[in-house]
Amino acid sequence: DGVIAGLGGVLVFVPQIAALFLFISILEEVGYMARAAYMFDSLMQRFGLNGRSVVALISGHACAIPAIMSTRTIANWKERLLTILVTPLTSCSARIPVYIILISFAVPEGSFLGMGYQGLAFAGLYFLGILSAMLSALAFKLILESRERSFLMLELPEYRTPVWRNVGVTVWQKVRTFIVEAGQIILLISIVLWGLSTFGPPAAMEEARTQVQKTVEEQGLDEAAAADLLASEELEASYAGHVGKFIEPVIRPLGYDWKIGIALFTSFAAREVFVGTMATIYSIGSADDELRIRDRMAEEINPRTGEPVYNRATAWSLLVFYVFAMMCMSTSAVTKRETGGWKWPIIQFTFMTALAYVSAMAVYQLMA
């Protein structure tokens, strides 16, 4: 389960990477990409970026991994580094399942001028990501020093038919680089996270199984319900469950309990894992049934306050946290590959996590 799921975590990005670099290569070969970079350069320069940065920032809304790899066309070291650091702030497709579930708790149904409140909130999260990326780039521009002069030097070629051999070679090289180099790190971390979520202290795991067997006999649960309950109890008893309970005092000011803590921890494999973890914790079984997950989360009550766990304040806190947090080990692996060491991935992770924590806490404290 750990190895095959880890390989899947690597290979699942291959179609996106191949598609992105296919289109980028075609645009490069046609002669359009140079013109797009020229058009956006004056705007990007104000934030310490480069005209070519717009390609990465737009691509980041699909997936930050190929977007970061596309920064290789930026010659200036500082501008390329800034683009790499802020691109994960743009809302990628992995955030969509999280947004869909949490917006239903955060925003009431209704419409304004024919536009639904929930749809407006969904779009607002995307604009929040773009705004935070540009402002973060501006902050890093003032902090990082560089002796390199910033300029955009490129040829505006005539429009021409793409050379398909060049396109194919470029796509193959990018995909191979990702699988061989970044894939090793992703696979390793996937196995570690799987192990923490699957195994735990023997006594705690045995106690969980005993409790499940007792509950099954008392309530006469069928095989599917018993399997869901067992998965939920084993996750709580696992090392990941212990991590969730250990960090609960730290995340409590954000409105989170230990169950949300487990979801945050496992989400570092990929953000969309939040949904699957919620399904396991609440014994739902299918991570694809988002309506059941939402209904079960709505029933959860905080034993300390007697109020619903997923109230408006907690939902907005989680949404803001997922907009800003660096919760994708694959992106960290690619950042390490592109920057040549762990220094900048650690800085990227630290500043994004700090931004997410402070922002989520401010939202919760103001709305609670």
Side-chain angles (χ1 to χ4, degrees), residues 74-82 144-146 148 344:
I74 302 174
N76 183 284
W77 171 84
K78 181 178 178 180
E79 292 170 345
R80 179 170 183 252
L81 179 62
L82 291 187
L144 297 178
E145 297 182 357
S146 174
E148 293 184 59
W344 293 111

Side-chain angles (χ1 to χ4, degrees), residues 44-288:
M44 294 290 105
Q45 286 286 343
R46 299 176 185 178
F47 295 93
L49 302 175
N50 185 279
R52 297 179 185 272
S53 301
V54 73
V55 177
L57 294 175
I58 293 174
S59 304
H61 287 93
C63 180
I65 294 170
I68 289 175
M69 294 173 66
S70 71
T71 62
R72 296 177 184 180
T73 59
I74 302 174
N76 183 284
W77 171 84
K78 181 178 178 180
E79 292 170 345
R80 179 170 183 252
L81 179 62
L82 291 187
T83 306
I84 290 173
L85 292 177
V86 305
T87 293
L89 286 168
T90 57
S91 290
C92 65
S93 58
R95 291 176 168 99
I96 293 177
V98 182
Y99 290 173
I100 289 174
I101 287 182
L102 294 177
I103 281 179
S104 62
F105 294 104
V107 183
E109 295 183 6
S111 62
F112 175 73
L113 297 178
M115 297 178 288
Y117 293 139
Q118 295 181 348
L120 289 172
F122 191 89
L125 294 172
Y126 274 78
F127 283 112
L128 179 60
I130 295 171
L131 179 62
S132 64
M134 302 308 290
L135 293 179
S136 297
L138 182 60
F140 278 118
K141 173 188 175 182
L142 302 175
I143 295 173
L144 297 178
E145 297 182 357
S146 174
R147 296 181 181 179
E148 293 184 59
R149 293 187 62 186
S150 177
F151 59 89
L152 182 68
M153 181 183 295
L154 48 79
E155 176 189 3
L156 293 181
E158 295 182 358
Y159 288 115
R160 58 185 182 271
T161 302
V163 179
W164 295 108
R165 182 179 181 277
N166 294 345
V167 172
V169 169
T170 300
V171 173
W172 164 247
Q173 289 178 341
K174 301 296 185 183
V175 170
R176 184 183 62 180
T177 298
F178 169 75
I179 294 175
V180 173
E181 299 184 15
Q184 297 177 20
I185 302 173
I186 298 171
L187 177 62
L188 176 62
I189 300 176
S190 294
I191 295 173
V192 171
L193 285 174
W194 167 81
L196 292 174
S197 302
T198 304
F199 302 103
M205 297 293 284
E206 185 60 32
E207 182 180 352
R209 297 187 185 101
T210 303
Q211 182 61 38
V212 168
Q213 185 176 3
K214 181 179 178 182
T215 303
V216 170
E217 293 174 352
E218 291 177 350
Q219 300 182 8
L221 300 178
D222 58 28
E223 186 175 346
D228 292 344
L229 180 61
L230 179 61
S232 174
E233 294 295 329
E234 286 185 337
L235 179 60
E236 180 179 350
S238 70
Y239 293 115
H242 284 74
V243 170
K245 293 180 179 179
F246 177 76
I247 66 175
E248 185 175 21
V250 178
I251 61 178
R252 191 173 294 149
L254 282 65
Y256 309 158
D257 59 9
W258 65 268
K259 296 180 180 179
I260 299 177
I262 294 177
L264 294 178
F265 177 73
T266 57
S267 290
F268 283 101
R271 294 177 181 92
E272 65 269 28
V273 174
F274 174 87
V275 178
T277 303
M278 287 291 105
T280 301
I281 289 175
Y282 295 123
S283 306
I284 296 172
S286 175
D288 298 325

